[in-house]
């Protein structure tokens, strides 16, 4: 029963994301009601990655739920599972992607621009392109975080290719390293 509630909550949240409509951009409907150039449905079971090859991040495991391939490049949706206390990326920005974070379980402190926010289960935050951002996981129990990028760009390739957190690697994938990761000490001041 708990999975059913989580899925319902997930669907409600996703239905409210304005950028999802971009996934059908450029398609047309024929006289028979069939969409030309439509992308096939992609089912991903709970706890699974769409290709059955999750990516270990060191502080979590990433499961890709919706790929840019599934959406003609308009959206990438991934889930951090098993987030560990103190884990998170360095401060960075994306030149071409907006990024959205939704806390499924646990607690995160996020920094977007010069503001910091404490997010608990059910909270979300949007980080526009060209705005520095980072997060740190602060709960004691492992958590889950849903992240969306629009457009998808090369973000899935970044994570699958080794996801280095250095300036050179970020630059290869359309990002800029801005500074060190948030710490638990930083988070304690929020």
């Amino acid at each position: 029963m708990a999975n059913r509630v989580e899925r319902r909550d997930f669907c409600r949240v996703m239905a409210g994301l304005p950028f999802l409509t971009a996934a059908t951009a450029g398609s047309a409907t024929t006289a028979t009601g069939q969409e030309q150039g439509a992308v096939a449905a992609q089912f991903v079971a709970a706890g699974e990655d769409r290709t059955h090859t999750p990516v270990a991040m060191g502080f979590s495991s990433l499961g890709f739920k919706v790929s840019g391939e599934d959406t003609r490049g308009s959206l990438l949706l991934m889930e951090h599972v098993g987030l560990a206390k103190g884990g998170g990326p360095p401060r960075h920005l994306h030149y071409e992607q907006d990024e959205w974070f939704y806390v499924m379980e646990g607690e995160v402190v996020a920094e977007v621009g010069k503001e910091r926010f404490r997010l608990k289960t059910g909270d979300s935050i949007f980080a526009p392109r060209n705005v520095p951002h980072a997060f740190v996981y602060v709960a004691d129990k492992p958590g889950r975080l849903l992240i969306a990028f629009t457009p998808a760009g090369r973000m899935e390739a970044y994570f699958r290719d080794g996801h280095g957190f250095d300036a050179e690697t970020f630059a290869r994938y359309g990002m800029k390293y801005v500074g060190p990761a948030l710490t638990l000490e930083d988070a304690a001041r929020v």
Side-chain angles (χ1 to χ4, degrees), residues 13-95:
V13 169
M14 292 310 294
L17 292 176
F19 55 76
L20 280 180
T21 58
T24 58
S27 62
T29 304
T30 66
T32 62
Q34 294 292 327
E35 209 174 304
Q36 294 175 339
V39 178
Q42 298 290 325
F43 173 79
V44 181
E48 293 290 326
D49 173 83
R50 66 183 286 284
T51 63
H52 308 289
T53 54
V55 174
M57 293 291 295
F59 57 85
S60 74
S61 177
L62 278 182
F64 296 91
K65 300 299 186 176
V66 179
S67 171
E69 292 176 23
D70 302 330
T71 64
R72 292 186 205 93
S74 65
L75 174 69
L76 170 65
L77 185 65
M78 60 189 202
E79 180 183 8
H80 275 283
V81 178
L83 276 163
K85 188 171 187 173
R91 291 170 178 94
H92 64 283
L93 62 79
H94 304 268
Y95 292 112

Side-chain angles (χ1 to χ4, degrees), residues 138-156:
V138 298
D140 291 324
K141 286 178 44 179
R144 294 187 313 148
L145 183 65
L146 192 64
I147 300 179
F149 294 94
T150 182
R154 299 193 60 223
M155 292 311 302
E156 184 172 356

